[in-house]
Amino acid sequence: MLGSGILEVAIGVIFIYLLVSLLCSSVREGIESWTKTRAAYLEYGIRELLMDRKGVGLARSLFEHPLIFGLYSGGYAPGGEKRPGLLAHGNHLPSYIPARSFATALLDLIARGPGSPADAEGAAPPAPSLAAPSLAAPSLAAPSLAALRANVLRFDSPVMQRVLLGAIDNARGDLDKAQAAIEAWYDSSMERVGGWYKRSSQWIILWIALAITVGGNFNTIRIADYLYHNDAARAALVERSKLALADPDYLKRSHEQAQAELRDMHLPIGWGTPQGGMGSSIAVALVGWLMTAFAATLGAPFWFDVLRKVMVVRGTLKPDDDGAARRAAAAAPAPVAPVAAAPLVPALAPRSAQRAVIDAEALAAALALLVGRDAQNDVDACSALGRASHEETPDDQLPVATGGVAEA
Amino acid sequence: MNYSLIWLPEVLEQAGLKVARVLGWERRGRADAGVTLGVLCHHTGGSKNGNMPSLGVLINGRPGLRGPLSQLGLGRDGTYYVIAAGRCNHAGPGRWNGVVDGNGHFIGIEAENTGRGDDPWPAVQMDAYQRGVAAILKHTRRTADDCAGHKEYALPTGRKVDPSFDMAPFRAAVARLIQGGAPPPELIPPHEPAPASDGSRRITLRRGTQGQLVERLQALLGVRVDGDFGGKTEAAVRMLQRAHGLVPDGIVGPRTWALVDTAAPSGVERTARVC
């Protein structure tokens, strides 16, 4: 059957993409654990947030505050004034700072007032002994908001003054509320930091994917061609995909496990196997590598999800030999189960013709699933309508109804 | 050109149901609908306020999903809002009785309900739901088994939870309605049963009627008095009905007249002044 053969090739290719993505992300994690680029982005983000580009005033005091100082080893050295590069080194600074620690530390700094040595530009940093955690306790003992407000007015950055005064005034005397407002302000800025990091990560993953694809000779065209002509390999790959989908921890697999799985499959990948057939010319190989590399940048969770969807569609194509269809039939109420097992047979069309129609539709649905959401079938609404509550239709905007009243 | 589900409102009206046509419904749809092979029941999961607060979203869609999102909306008062005569984005991936292209072959009904325990289904809405599904299935010569809940159709299993009621008794009720034998729904009388002390019997008013009686109603309701029963007057009637446990359909029949006389905001005030 045409539809099912092509679908199985697609499943195989998607499964390979999934494994290559896993390889890429584990290499990426290895690089990150060495460079700590995220820490550099976080440090830059905090300097931006606190309006202290050079890292000599408030940002420095914050990083040297006992609550934050405990999160990393070594001293604080501010990064450059430009946004960190793709592989910027984060030194030993923390990759994450909890919003609560940030807000508590900042409030404590304000309570001490800008008169403390580190806040005056160019002043000497506080002695390391000051950063000992035991000293934090007395200063953290609930400063009054009025005192905080007075200290904020002594900061020289008007932007910081506005943010902090807003948080303090809206709290109406409640220190917890002021802290919550500062935490929210920090969180929204950290989303931006997350965005920078994600974009830089995408570029690095693309380079990793290119290296892995060419190094391991993962040629999409060659693999698809091989699977199309080799029924046994295709069936084996589909079985593997099913096992993978059934394993909830599949995406946590290590580099070695993914590599071993790729080796076990005996596909035309790597440089050891004899080259030949379609996909052996260098131009085709380039296209095939690029396809794999770009696919791998989409990430393992994405391919896992696509694999799941395609498996569901395949279940609708071959209802008798697929677990998904059986599960669907079992989940349906009792009187319907026998009907769900048999394909739809309307009175006016012969059975085989109707089967063909359904197969074509299933294939269209499969393509729609792969191409995008607003294609044809993969879209539905309910249960999510509530989110658009700002678009509620009030009663006086409803159209005119007829019926329901007896004739006079 | 009109799409092919152009028969929907008439079939529902013949079943004795309240029907409201949304402007432009004849030509609305992602494309033309395929052959109707069944009905898919949804609940909107929308807001708790009003009769059909999700109507706008059903017509226009929401960010990331283009409307229309169903052919029919079912208000809390049992009114069917006819949104589209073409194909709608309501089903998503799934399978029911061998049909995998739900958007192409199922008519979608989105009934207004939050889908949570805090929003019990009104009897009038559930009755209209069953009668509407039965009328559509009968018209398209399908059986009650061709009506599925979205939660039953959607794949992977468990992807959707709507509708929040049990489909087996629902299908049984639809099957009884298709066979016939059930009496038609109760209609509101065209005027009050007994003449008032001055010998007049007030007629039943609804959106679109005009005249002195409407002016009297508007004065009692405390809305702008212009003698034209429009959307604002209807919304005020619905609010009063909702507050006193009547069907909030905005139609002023005998029961609502009695309610307006005693409980309408300005009515109470006036009585107080007379005493």
PDB file of all heavy atoms in Angstrom, chain A residues 361 374 376-380 382 385-386 392-393 395-396 398 402-404 406, chain B residues 13 19 42-43 47 51 53 56 66 90-93 100 162 188 206 232 242:
ATOM      1  N   GLU A 361      -7.240  10.238   2.385  1.00  0.00           N
ATOM      2  CA  GLU A 361      -7.466  11.259   3.408  1.00  0.00           C
ATOM      3  C   GLU A 361      -6.436  11.156   4.517  1.00  0.00           C
ATOM      4  O   GLU A 361      -5.923  12.161   5.004  1.00  0.00           O
ATOM      5  CB  GLU A 361      -8.863  11.096   3.999  1.00  0.00           C
ATOM      6  CG  GLU A 361      -9.933  11.674   3.110  1.00  0.00           C
ATOM      7  CD  GLU A 361     -11.309  11.257   3.563  1.00  0.00           C
ATOM      8  OE1 GLU A 361     -11.412  10.498   4.538  1.00  0.00           O
ATOM      9  OE2 GLU A 361     -12.281  11.684   2.918  1.00  0.00           O
ATOM     10  N   ASP A 374      -2.048  24.753  10.551  1.00  0.00           N
ATOM     11  CA  ASP A 374      -3.284  25.248   9.966  1.00  0.00           C
ATOM     12  C   ASP A 374      -3.578  24.596   8.622  1.00  0.00           C
ATOM     13  O   ASP A 374      -4.345  25.106   7.842  1.00  0.00           O
ATOM     14  CB  ASP A 374      -3.239  26.761   9.823  1.00  0.00           C
ATOM     15  CG  ASP A 374      -4.632  27.328   9.584  1.00  0.00           C
ATOM     16  OD1 ASP A 374      -5.624  26.607   9.815  1.00  0.00           O
ATOM     17  OD2 ASP A 374      -4.733  28.454   9.140  1.00  0.00           O
ATOM     18  N   GLN A 376      -5.045  21.274   7.324  1.00  0.00           N
ATOM     19  CA  GLN A 376      -6.437  20.901   7.160  1.00  0.00           C
ATOM     20  C   GLN A 376      -7.029  20.265   8.403  1.00  0.00           C
ATOM     21  O   GLN A 376      -8.052  20.679   8.900  1.00  0.00           O
ATOM     22  CB  GLN A 376      -6.582  19.930   5.979  1.00  0.00           C
ATOM     23  CG  GLN A 376      -6.388  20.600   4.644  1.00  0.00           C
ATOM     24  CD  GLN A 376      -7.486  21.609   4.361  1.00  0.00           C
ATOM     25  OE1 GLN A 376      -8.648  21.285   4.389  1.00  0.00           O
ATOM     26  NE2 GLN A 376      -7.091  22.844   4.124  1.00  0.00           N
ATOM     27  N   ASN A 377      -6.373  19.264   8.905  1.00  0.00           N
ATOM     28  CA  ASN A 377      -7.073  18.409   9.849  1.00  0.00           C
ATOM     29  C   ASN A 377      -6.590  18.547  11.281  1.00  0.00           C
ATOM     30  O   ASN A 377      -7.311  18.233  12.205  1.00  0.00           O
ATOM     31  CB  ASN A 377      -6.909  16.952   9.412  1.00  0.00           C
ATOM     32  CG  ASN A 377      -8.014  16.101   9.963  1.00  0.00           C
ATOM     33  OD1 ASN A 377      -9.132  16.571  10.111  1.00  0.00           O
ATOM     34  ND2 ASN A 377      -7.707  14.879  10.298  1.00  0.00           N
ATOM     35  N   ASP A 378      -5.400  19.025  11.467  1.00  0.00           N
ATOM     36  CA  ASP A 378      -4.823  18.986  12.804  1.00  0.00           C
ATOM     37  C   ASP A 378      -5.229  20.203  13.620  1.00  0.00           C
ATOM     38  O   ASP A 378      -4.445  20.747  14.379  1.00  0.00           O
ATOM     39  CB  ASP A 378      -3.304  18.908  12.688  1.00  0.00           C
ATOM     40  CG  ASP A 378      -2.652  18.803  14.054  1.00  0.00           C
ATOM     41  OD1 ASP A 378      -3.283  18.220  14.942  1.00  0.00           O
ATOM     42  OD2 ASP A 378      -1.556  19.328  14.220  1.00  0.00           O
ATOM     43  N   VAL A 379      -6.426  20.686  13.423  1.00  0.00           N
ATOM     44  CA  VAL A 379      -6.789  21.893  14.137  1.00  0.00           C
ATOM     45  C   VAL A 379      -8.129  21.708  14.812  1.00  0.00           C
ATOM     46  O   VAL A 379      -9.078  21.220  14.210  1.00  0.00           O
ATOM     47  CB  VAL A 379      -6.834  23.102  13.191  1.00  0.00           C
ATOM     48  CG1 VAL A 379      -5.437  23.637  13.000  1.00  0.00           C
ATOM     49  CG2 VAL A 379      -7.427  22.736  11.866  1.00  0.00           C
ATOM     50  N   ASP A 380      -8.194  22.076  16.045  1.00  0.00           N
ATOM     51  CA  ASP A 380      -9.467  22.093  16.735  1.00  0.00           C
ATOM     52  C   ASP A 380      -9.375  23.087  17.861  1.00  0.00           C
ATOM     53  O   ASP A 380      -8.310  23.585  18.182  1.00  0.00           O
ATOM     54  CB  ASP A 380      -9.869  20.705  17.223  1.00  0.00           C
ATOM     55  CG  ASP A 380      -8.760  20.050  18.004  1.00  0.00           C
ATOM     56  OD1 ASP A 380      -7.785  20.735  18.339  1.00  0.00           O
ATOM     57  OD2 ASP A 380      -8.877  18.861  18.283  1.00  0.00           O
ATOM     58  N   CYS A 382     -11.823  23.505  21.052  1.00  0.00           N
ATOM     59  CA  CYS A 382     -12.434  23.602  22.369  1.00  0.00           C
ATOM     60  C   CYS A 382     -11.458  23.409  23.487  1.00  0.00           C
ATOM     61  O   CYS A 382     -10.376  22.901  23.308  1.00  0.00           O
ATOM     62  CB  CYS A 382     -13.538  22.593  22.531  1.00  0.00           C
ATOM     63  SG  CYS A 382     -13.753  21.591  21.138  1.00  0.00           S
ATOM     64  N   LEU A 385     -10.732  27.701  24.146  1.00  0.00           N
ATOM     65  CA  LEU A 385     -11.453  28.930  23.852  1.00  0.00           C
ATOM     66  C   LEU A 385     -11.410  29.877  25.034  1.00  0.00           C
ATOM     67  O   LEU A 385     -11.371  31.075  24.884  1.00  0.00           O
ATOM     68  CB  LEU A 385     -12.910  28.620  23.534  1.00  0.00           C
ATOM     69  CG  LEU A 385     -13.161  27.861  22.239  1.00  0.00           C
ATOM     70  CD1 LEU A 385     -14.643  27.693  22.033  1.00  0.00           C
ATOM     71  CD2 LEU A 385     -12.564  28.611  21.080  1.00  0.00           C
ATOM     72  N   GLY A 386     -11.428  29.302  26.243  1.00  0.00           N
ATOM     73  CA  GLY A 386     -11.483  30.116  27.447  1.00  0.00           C
ATOM     74  C   GLY A 386     -10.336  31.102  27.540  1.00  0.00           C
ATOM     75  O   GLY A 386     -10.483  32.157  28.118  1.00  0.00           O
ATOM     76  N   GLU A 392     -14.762  37.988  24.660  1.00  0.00           N
ATOM     77  CA  GLU A 392     -16.098  37.497  24.959  1.00  0.00           C
ATOM     78  C   GLU A 392     -17.151  38.259  24.171  1.00  0.00           C
ATOM     79  O   GLU A 392     -17.061  39.470  24.000  1.00  0.00           O
ATOM     80  CB  GLU A 392     -16.382  37.694  26.449  1.00  0.00           C
ATOM     81  CG  GLU A 392     -16.094  36.473  27.275  1.00  0.00           C
ATOM     82  CD  GLU A 392     -16.353  36.736  28.739  1.00  0.00           C
ATOM     83  OE1 GLU A 392     -17.369  37.371  29.055  1.00  0.00           O
ATOM     84  OE2 GLU A 392     -15.539  36.295  29.552  1.00  0.00           O
ATOM     85  N   THR A 393     -18.173  37.530  23.698  1.00  0.00           N
ATOM     86  CA  THR A 393     -19.285  38.163  23.029  1.00  0.00           C
ATOM     87  C   THR A 393     -20.363  38.447  24.072  1.00  0.00           C
ATOM     88  O   THR A 393     -20.928  37.509  24.632  1.00  0.00           O
ATOM     89  CB  THR A 393     -19.857  37.238  21.948  1.00  0.00           C
ATOM     90  OG1 THR A 393     -18.782  36.825  21.102  1.00  0.00           O
ATOM     91  CG2 THR A 393     -20.916  37.927  21.133  1.00  0.00           C
ATOM     92  N   ASP A 395     -24.076  39.549  25.666  1.00  0.00           N
ATOM     93  CA  ASP A 395     -25.422  39.169  25.226  1.00  0.00           C
ATOM     94  C   ASP A 395     -26.003  40.160  24.220  1.00  0.00           C
ATOM     95  O   ASP A 395     -26.711  39.761  23.287  1.00  0.00           O
ATOM     96  CB  ASP A 395     -26.350  39.060  26.442  1.00  0.00           C
ATOM     97  CG  ASP A 395     -26.177  37.725  27.161  1.00  0.00           C
ATOM     98  OD1 ASP A 395     -25.463  36.864  26.612  1.00  0.00           O
ATOM     99  OD2 ASP A 395     -26.742  37.560  28.251  1.00  0.00           O
ATOM    100  N   ASP A 396     -25.704  41.470  24.392  1.00  0.00           N
ATOM    101  CA  ASP A 396     -26.357  42.430  23.491  1.00  0.00           C
ATOM    102  C   ASP A 396     -25.740  42.432  22.100  1.00  0.00           C
ATOM    103  O   ASP A 396     -26.218  43.131  21.213  1.00  0.00           O
ATOM    104  CB  ASP A 396     -26.373  43.835  24.109  1.00  0.00           C
ATOM    105  CG  ASP A 396     -24.971  44.343  24.402  1.00  0.00           C
ATOM    106  OD1 ASP A 396     -24.014  43.626  24.097  1.00  0.00           O
ATOM    107  OD2 ASP A 396     -24.856  45.459  24.938  1.00  0.00           O
ATOM    108  N   LEU A 398     -25.343  39.446  20.465  1.00  0.00           N
ATOM    109  CA  LEU A 398     -25.743  38.174  19.851  1.00  0.00           C
ATOM    110  C   LEU A 398     -26.722  38.432  18.716  1.00  0.00           C
ATOM    111  O   LEU A 398     -27.483  39.403  18.740  1.00  0.00           O
ATOM    112  CB  LEU A 398     -26.395  37.275  20.912  1.00  0.00           C
ATOM    113  CG  LEU A 398     -25.455  36.753  22.011  1.00  0.00           C
ATOM    114  CD1 LEU A 398     -26.242  36.029  23.088  1.00  0.00           C
ATOM    115  CD2 LEU A 398     -24.401  35.843  21.427  1.00  0.00           C
ATOM    116  N   THR A 402     -34.836  33.106  16.073  1.00  0.00           N
ATOM    117  CA  THR A 402     -36.227  32.832  15.727  1.00  0.00           C
ATOM    118  C   THR A 402     -36.620  31.515  16.394  1.00  0.00           C
ATOM    119  O   THR A 402     -35.767  30.790  16.887  1.00  0.00           O
ATOM    120  CB  THR A 402     -36.406  32.688  14.205  1.00  0.00           C
ATOM    121  OG1 THR A 402     -35.548  31.616  13.774  1.00  0.00           O
ATOM    122  CG2 THR A 402     -36.006  33.957  13.486  1.00  0.00           C
ATOM    123  N   GLY A 403     -37.931  31.204  16.360  1.00  0.00           N
ATOM    124  CA  GLY A 403     -38.399  29.931  16.900  1.00  0.00           C
ATOM    125  C   GLY A 403     -38.565  29.979  18.406  1.00  0.00           C
ATOM    126  O   GLY A 403     -38.146  30.929  19.069  1.00  0.00           O
ATOM    127  N   GLY A 404     -39.199  28.945  18.945  1.00  0.00           N
ATOM    128  CA  GLY A 404     -39.367  28.847  20.382  1.00  0.00           C
ATOM    129  C   GLY A 404     -40.672  29.434  20.895  1.00  0.00           C
ATOM    130  O   GLY A 404     -41.036  29.212  22.032  1.00  0.00           O
ATOM    131  N   ALA A 406     -44.864  29.829  20.129  1.00  0.00           N
ATOM    132  CA  ALA A 406     -45.959  29.280  19.335  1.00  0.00           C
ATOM    133  C   ALA A 406     -46.590  30.368  18.458  1.00  0.00           C
ATOM    134  O   ALA A 406     -46.544  31.554  18.806  1.00  0.00           O
ATOM    135  CB  ALA A 406     -47.010  28.675  20.260  1.00  0.00           C
TER     136      ALA A 406
ATOM    137  N   GLU B  13     -34.902  24.463  12.837  1.00  0.00           N
ATOM    138  CA  GLU B  13     -36.173  25.138  13.108  1.00  0.00           C
ATOM    139  C   GLU B  13     -37.338  24.164  13.050  1.00  0.00           C
ATOM    140  O   GLU B  13     -38.263  24.220  13.867  1.00  0.00           O
ATOM    141  CB  GLU B  13     -36.389  26.278  12.101  1.00  0.00           C
ATOM    142  CG  GLU B  13     -35.729  27.572  12.536  1.00  0.00           C
ATOM    143  CD  GLU B  13     -35.641  28.599  11.419  1.00  0.00           C
ATOM    144  OE1 GLU B  13     -35.842  28.237  10.236  1.00  0.00           O
ATOM    145  OE2 GLU B  13     -35.355  29.752  11.732  1.00  0.00           O
ATOM    146  N   VAL B  19     -33.271  29.287  16.716  1.00  0.00           N
ATOM    147  CA  VAL B  19     -32.136  29.361  15.804  1.00  0.00           C
ATOM    148  C   VAL B  19     -31.795  30.822  15.551  1.00  0.00           C
ATOM    149  O   VAL B  19     -32.682  31.639  15.313  1.00  0.00           O
ATOM    150  CB  VAL B  19     -32.468  28.672  14.455  1.00  0.00           C
ATOM    151  CG1 VAL B  19     -31.303  28.818  13.488  1.00  0.00           C
ATOM    152  CG2 VAL B  19     -32.786  27.205  14.666  1.00  0.00           C
ATOM    153  N   HIS B  42     -18.980  19.164  21.145  1.00  0.00           N
ATOM    154  CA  HIS B  42     -17.922  19.839  21.900  1.00  0.00           C
ATOM    155  C   HIS B  42     -18.549  20.665  23.018  1.00  0.00           C
ATOM    156  O   HIS B  42     -19.726  20.962  22.992  1.00  0.00           O
ATOM    157  CB  HIS B  42     -17.164  20.828  21.009  1.00  0.00           C
ATOM    158  CG  HIS B  42     -16.637  20.268  19.735  1.00  0.00           C
ATOM    159  ND1 HIS B  42     -15.311  19.984  19.545  1.00  0.00           N
ATOM    160  CD2 HIS B  42     -17.246  19.955  18.563  1.00  0.00           C
ATOM    161  CE1 HIS B  42     -15.125  19.526  18.321  1.00  0.00           C
ATOM    162  NE2 HIS B  42     -16.280  19.495  17.705  1.00  0.00           N
ATOM    163  N   HIS B  43     -17.732  21.067  23.986  1.00  0.00           N
ATOM    164  CA  HIS B  43     -18.108  22.226  24.789  1.00  0.00           C
ATOM    165  C   HIS B  43     -17.018  23.279  24.615  1.00  0.00           C
ATOM    166  O   HIS B  43     -15.871  22.954  24.325  1.00  0.00           O
ATOM    167  CB  HIS B  43     -18.371  21.870  26.253  1.00  0.00           C
ATOM    168  CG  HIS B  43     -17.166  21.484  27.050  1.00  0.00           C
ATOM    169  ND1 HIS B  43     -17.116  20.356  27.828  1.00  0.00           N
ATOM    170  CD2 HIS B  43     -15.954  22.071  27.203  1.00  0.00           C
ATOM    171  CE1 HIS B  43     -15.943  20.269  28.411  1.00  0.00           C
ATOM    172  NE2 HIS B  43     -15.208  21.293  28.049  1.00  0.00           N
ATOM    173  N   SER B  47     -16.209  31.315  28.871  1.00  0.00           N
ATOM    174  CA  SER B  47     -16.507  32.027  30.111  1.00  0.00           C
ATOM    175  C   SER B  47     -17.871  31.616  30.672  1.00  0.00           C
ATOM    176  O   SER B  47     -18.697  31.023  29.994  1.00  0.00           O
ATOM    177  CB  SER B  47     -16.482  33.520  29.829  1.00  0.00           C
ATOM    178  OG  SER B  47     -17.391  34.189  30.650  1.00  0.00           O
ATOM    179  N   ASN B  51     -24.931  34.284  27.476  1.00  0.00           N
ATOM    180  CA  ASN B  51     -25.574  33.152  26.831  1.00  0.00           C
ATOM    181  C   ASN B  51     -24.627  32.413  25.901  1.00  0.00           C
ATOM    182  O   ASN B  51     -24.626  31.198  25.852  1.00  0.00           O
ATOM    183  CB  ASN B  51     -26.792  33.649  26.052  1.00  0.00           C
ATOM    184  CG  ASN B  51     -27.675  32.506  25.633  1.00  0.00           C
ATOM    185  OD1 ASN B  51     -27.967  31.632  26.441  1.00  0.00           O
ATOM    186  ND2 ASN B  51     -28.061  32.488  24.377  1.00  0.00           N
ATOM    187  N   PRO B  53     -20.870  33.483  25.194  1.00  0.00           N
ATOM    188  CA  PRO B  53     -19.715  34.393  25.152  1.00  0.00           C
ATOM    189  C   PRO B  53     -18.635  33.971  24.166  1.00  0.00           C
ATOM    190  O   PRO B  53     -17.849  34.798  23.738  1.00  0.00           O
ATOM    191  CB  PRO B  53     -19.181  34.362  26.591  1.00  0.00           C
ATOM    192  CG  PRO B  53     -19.736  33.123  27.191  1.00  0.00           C
ATOM    193  CD  PRO B  53     -21.051  32.888  26.521  1.00  0.00           C
ATOM    194  N   GLY B  56     -17.918  35.000  19.347  1.00  0.00           N
ATOM    195  CA  GLY B  56     -16.950  35.754  18.542  1.00  0.00           C
ATOM    196  C   GLY B  56     -15.725  34.922  18.195  1.00  0.00           C
ATOM    197  O   GLY B  56     -15.241  34.949  17.066  1.00  0.00           O
ATOM    198  N   ARG B  66      -7.377  29.697  12.784  1.00  0.00           N
ATOM    199  CA  ARG B  66      -8.313  30.526  12.041  1.00  0.00           C
ATOM    200  C   ARG B  66      -9.723  29.970  12.139  1.00  0.00           C
ATOM    201  O   ARG B  66      -9.933  28.775  12.148  1.00  0.00           O
ATOM    202  CB  ARG B  66      -7.875  30.593  10.581  1.00  0.00           C
ATOM    203  CG  ARG B  66      -6.530  31.286  10.432  1.00  0.00           C
ATOM    204  CD  ARG B  66      -5.960  31.100   9.072  1.00  0.00           C
ATOM    205  NE  ARG B  66      -6.680  31.892   8.093  1.00  0.00           N
ATOM    206  CZ  ARG B  66      -6.382  31.873   6.808  1.00  0.00           C
ATOM    207  NH1 ARG B  66      -5.422  31.117   6.359  1.00  0.00           N
ATOM    208  NH2 ARG B  66      -7.062  32.613   5.959  1.00  0.00           N
ATOM    209  N   HIS B  90     -12.728  22.224  13.730  1.00  0.00           N
ATOM    210  CA  HIS B  90     -13.208  21.837  15.062  1.00  0.00           C
ATOM    211  C   HIS B  90     -12.708  20.483  15.532  1.00  0.00           C
ATOM    212  O   HIS B  90     -12.659  20.228  16.734  1.00  0.00           O
ATOM    213  CB  HIS B  90     -14.738  21.874  15.109  1.00  0.00           C
ATOM    214  CG  HIS B  90     -15.411  20.817  14.281  1.00  0.00           C
ATOM    215  ND1 HIS B  90     -15.763  19.615  14.813  1.00  0.00           N
ATOM    216  CD2 HIS B  90     -15.775  20.786  12.982  1.00  0.00           C
ATOM    217  CE1 HIS B  90     -16.348  18.882  13.860  1.00  0.00           C
ATOM    218  NE2 HIS B  90     -16.348  19.567  12.751  1.00  0.00           N
ATOM    219  N   ALA B  91     -12.327  19.598  14.619  1.00  0.00           N
ATOM    220  CA  ALA B  91     -12.123  18.209  15.027  1.00  0.00           C
ATOM    221  C   ALA B  91     -10.678  17.887  15.396  1.00  0.00           C
ATOM    222  O   ALA B  91     -10.423  17.294  16.429  1.00  0.00           O
ATOM    223  CB  ALA B  91     -12.591  17.271  13.923  1.00  0.00           C
ATOM    224  N   GLY B  92      -9.717  18.270  14.552  1.00  0.00           N
ATOM    225  CA  GLY B  92      -8.332  17.883  14.805  1.00  0.00           C
ATOM    226  C   GLY B  92      -8.112  16.417  14.476  1.00  0.00           C
ATOM    227  O   GLY B  92      -9.012  15.739  13.984  1.00  0.00           O
ATOM    228  N   PRO B  93      -6.920  15.907  14.767  1.00  0.00           N
ATOM    229  CA  PRO B  93      -6.664  14.508  14.435  1.00  0.00           C
ATOM    230  C   PRO B  93      -7.455  13.572  15.336  1.00  0.00           C
ATOM    231  O   PRO B  93      -7.599  13.822  16.535  1.00  0.00           O
ATOM    232  CB  PRO B  93      -5.157  14.353  14.681  1.00  0.00           C
ATOM    233  CG  PRO B  93      -4.771  15.495  15.542  1.00  0.00           C
ATOM    234  CD  PRO B  93      -5.751  16.596  15.317  1.00  0.00           C
ATOM    235  N   VAL B 100     -11.464   9.678   9.620  1.00  0.00           N
ATOM    236  CA  VAL B 100     -10.293  10.323  10.223  1.00  0.00           C
ATOM    237  C   VAL B 100     -10.244  11.816   9.899  1.00  0.00           C
ATOM    238  O   VAL B 100      -9.501  12.553  10.521  1.00  0.00           O
ATOM    239  CB  VAL B 100      -8.979   9.662   9.763  1.00  0.00           C
ATOM    240  CG1 VAL B 100      -8.909   8.237  10.258  1.00  0.00           C
ATOM    241  CG2 VAL B 100      -8.835   9.725   8.263  1.00  0.00           C
ATOM    242  N   ASP B 162     -13.566  17.323  26.075  1.00  0.00           N
ATOM    243  CA  ASP B 162     -14.930  17.767  25.872  1.00  0.00           C
ATOM    244  C   ASP B 162     -15.724  16.738  25.064  1.00  0.00           C
ATOM    245  O   ASP B 162     -15.145  16.019  24.259  1.00  0.00           O
ATOM    246  CB  ASP B 162     -14.956  19.137  25.175  1.00  0.00           C
ATOM    247  CG  ASP B 162     -14.295  19.078  23.802  1.00  0.00           C
ATOM    248  OD1 ASP B 162     -13.247  18.416  23.677  1.00  0.00           O
ATOM    249  OD2 ASP B 162     -14.843  19.666  22.860  1.00  0.00           O
ATOM    250  N   ILE B 188     -43.269  28.695  23.880  1.00  0.00           N
ATOM    251  CA  ILE B 188     -43.791  29.781  24.716  1.00  0.00           C
ATOM    252  C   ILE B 188     -45.107  30.258  24.099  1.00  0.00           C
ATOM    253  O   ILE B 188     -45.180  30.477  22.884  1.00  0.00           O
ATOM    254  CB  ILE B 188     -42.765  30.924  24.775  1.00  0.00           C
ATOM    255  CG1 ILE B 188     -41.466  30.411  25.406  1.00  0.00           C
ATOM    256  CG2 ILE B 188     -43.315  32.115  25.539  1.00  0.00           C
ATOM    257  CD1 ILE B 188     -40.295  31.343  25.250  1.00  0.00           C
ATOM    258  N   ARG B 206     -40.326  39.733  21.807  1.00  0.00           N
ATOM    259  CA  ARG B 206     -38.946  39.267  21.661  1.00  0.00           C
ATOM    260  C   ARG B 206     -38.191  40.254  20.807  1.00  0.00           C
ATOM    261  O   ARG B 206     -38.764  41.215  20.294  1.00  0.00           O
ATOM    262  CB  ARG B 206     -38.898  37.867  21.054  1.00  0.00           C
ATOM    263  CG  ARG B 206     -39.204  37.847  19.561  1.00  0.00           C
ATOM    264  CD  ARG B 206     -39.244  36.464  19.002  1.00  0.00           C
ATOM    265  NE  ARG B 206     -38.092  35.667  19.411  1.00  0.00           N
ATOM    266  CZ  ARG B 206     -37.980  34.372  19.121  1.00  0.00           C
ATOM    267  NH1 ARG B 206     -38.948  33.748  18.462  1.00  0.00           N
ATOM    268  NH2 ARG B 206     -36.922  33.703  19.480  1.00  0.00           N
ATOM    269  N   LYS B 232     -29.886  45.536  23.463  1.00  0.00           N
ATOM    270  CA  LYS B 232     -29.694  45.952  24.856  1.00  0.00           C
ATOM    271  C   LYS B 232     -30.890  45.541  25.715  1.00  0.00           C
ATOM    272  O   LYS B 232     -30.719  45.064  26.834  1.00  0.00           O
ATOM    273  CB  LYS B 232     -29.516  47.475  24.931  1.00  0.00           C
ATOM    274  CG  LYS B 232     -28.257  47.974  24.251  1.00  0.00           C
ATOM    275  CD  LYS B 232     -27.245  48.461  25.279  1.00  0.00           C
ATOM    276  CE  LYS B 232     -26.058  49.148  24.617  1.00  0.00           C
ATOM    277  NZ  LYS B 232     -24.997  48.196  24.257  1.00  0.00           N
ATOM    278  N   ARG B 242     -32.088  35.327  34.281  1.00  0.00           N
ATOM    279  CA  ARG B 242     -31.012  34.545  34.885  1.00  0.00           C
ATOM    280  C   ARG B 242     -31.038  34.702  36.403  1.00  0.00           C
ATOM    281  O   ARG B 242     -30.875  33.732  37.140  1.00  0.00           O
ATOM    282  CB  ARG B 242     -29.684  35.046  34.326  1.00  0.00           C
ATOM    283  CG  ARG B 242     -28.586  34.016  34.301  1.00  0.00           C
ATOM    284  CD  ARG B 242     -27.388  34.534  33.524  1.00  0.00           C
ATOM    285  NE  ARG B 242     -27.582  34.516  32.090  1.00  0.00           N
ATOM    286  CZ  ARG B 242     -27.268  35.524  31.269  1.00  0.00           C
ATOM    287  NH1 ARG B 242     -26.766  36.638  31.745  1.00  0.00           N
ATOM    288  NH2 ARG B 242     -27.477  35.422  29.976  1.00  0.00           N
TER     289      ARG B 242
END
